[in-house]
Amino acid sequence: MTNPRSPESAAAPGRRAEVLPTHTPALFAAAVERAVACLRAGQAIALPTETVYGLAANALDPAAVHRIYEIKGRPAQNPIIVHVASGPLARACVRTWTDAADRLARAFWPGPLTLVLPRAPIIPDIVTAGGDTVGLRWPAHPFIQEVIRTCGFPLAAPSANPANAISPTHAQHVAATLGHLIPLIVDGGPSQVGIESTVLDISGPVARLLRPGMVHAESLAAVVPLDLEATPAPPPDGPPLRSPGQLPRHYAPRAPVVPLTWRDEAELDRHLLRLLGDRPGTDRQDVHILSHAQIPSPLLAGRVCVIPHDPEAYARALYAEWHRCDELGARVIVVERVPETPAWRGIADRLRRAATPPATQP
Ligand code: TXA
Ligand code: MG
């Protein structure tokens, strides 16, 4: 019998994560029981949330949270979001539950909004990367809610991907990249939001948007004062409180992402010829095109995918399309630009970061 707390027991050669479905009440209940047992034993496991899949562990157990950093290869100065499933649990994680926190939580929780607040002493240093604030979120997915309620402790959970890779929006994405490192992946279906939560820092006198998402800045500004022109805020100086969601390059697939617009197919073709000219050894078959408005002929490239021209549907589909491009060996991903309107800002942000070449990483 292996010790469930030892990393080796989960990462033994040849061992693969158990993947548990949740689509009937009995399967849901059995998966809750298994997930809770793993979390109580100090393990890190993959759970569904409505934004992306999370790699969860007991937020109050530093050794369990350490496993998250190890499994992801995550830099120690990157703090982890703490997930709760009730008002009292949220308040237990912070030093002061402010009026702004209360109004934002009432308006947007459960949901894809993370609030950064002064942390309570029960939150270990390793969760906040030594900083004085904690990122808190009450996710909307019923599975993780039930797990948190049953455990009784909050869950630290970053996205369930190796550091610097795309976040997973399907259980299979987690299985492909972390399946050999963790004991359990719970399949809660495709993530309904599809990009990571909006992160709003309300620990200081003025609210600052650290990461745009599908809870839009304009919606937040209706609840708390927020300077819409000044967002997203620059990261605080140096470690430990850098918010890597603000790095120029992040959330990127393996192939370079090239954002383009085209009026018609002839113009797109000129763009493609130029791109291929700049990349000797690549041909049309190596190019995948993600379009939403000007849909080109499938003959133009190795693959043409169409994502609906609707921000909610687009966010839901984007990462799965990028994962697919990686799986199929795309060498260039052409992404049709999206509108720069408030509803598309979180998506435009992810496209911009994915398109930033690695060389500009600080
Ligand atoms: O939707 C999400 O937020 C998903 C799901 C699993 O909840 N989680 C997620 O976690 O995207 P992660 O670790 O991949 O991104 C969390 C972001 C990072 O940019 C991190 O630096 C920032 O939130 N963050 C967390 N705690 C923070 C804090 N105390 N101060 C500033 N930024 C913080
Ligand atoms: Mg992440």
Side-chain angles (χ1 to χ4, degrees), residues 72 74 159 161 167 196 211 250-251:
K72 280 188 63 107
R74 184 178 178 97
S159 51
N161 52 277
S167 294
E196 305 81 357
R211 179 171 73 183
H250 204 58
Y251 313 112

Side-chain angles (χ1 to χ4, degrees), residues 33-178:
E33 196 177 318
R34 177 89 179 92
V36 168
C38 288
L39 292 164
R40 286 192 174 140
Q43 289 180 322
I45 58 173
L47 299 180
T49 89
E50 79 282 23
T51 54
V52 300
Y53 276 71
L55 181 61
N58 179 354
L60 308 183
D61 176 351
V65 177
H66 180 71
R67 286 289 296 135
I68 295 177
Y69 283 90
E70 268 182 358
I71 291 164
K72 280 188 63 107
R74 184 178 178 97
Q77 72 272 20
N78 188 353
I80 297 180
I81 295 172
V82 170
H83 297 72
V84 297
S86 72
L89 193 55
R91 282 188 283 277
C93 295
V94 301
R95 213 161 46 241
T96 34
W97 183 252
T98 59
D99 181 51
D102 208 55
R103 278 183 285 134
L104 288 161
R106 281 174 199 283
F108 301 108
W109 280 0
L113 173 66
T114 296
L115 297 175
V116 174
L117 282 157
R119 69 152 155 161
I122 60 160
I123 303 296
D125 276 347
I126 190 167
V127 171
T128 68
D132 195 36
T133 59
V134 61
L136 264 194
R137 183 163 104 76
W138 181 341
H141 197 290
F143 188 85
I144 193 167
Q145 290 184 349
E146 186 61 19
V147 168
I148 297 169
R149 281 193 214 105
T150 310
C151 285
F153 48 74
L155 295 180
S159 51
N161 52 277
N164 300 322
I166 319 163
S167 294
T169 54
H170 293 252
Q172 301 89 291
H173 298 156
V174 186
T177 54
L178 299 181

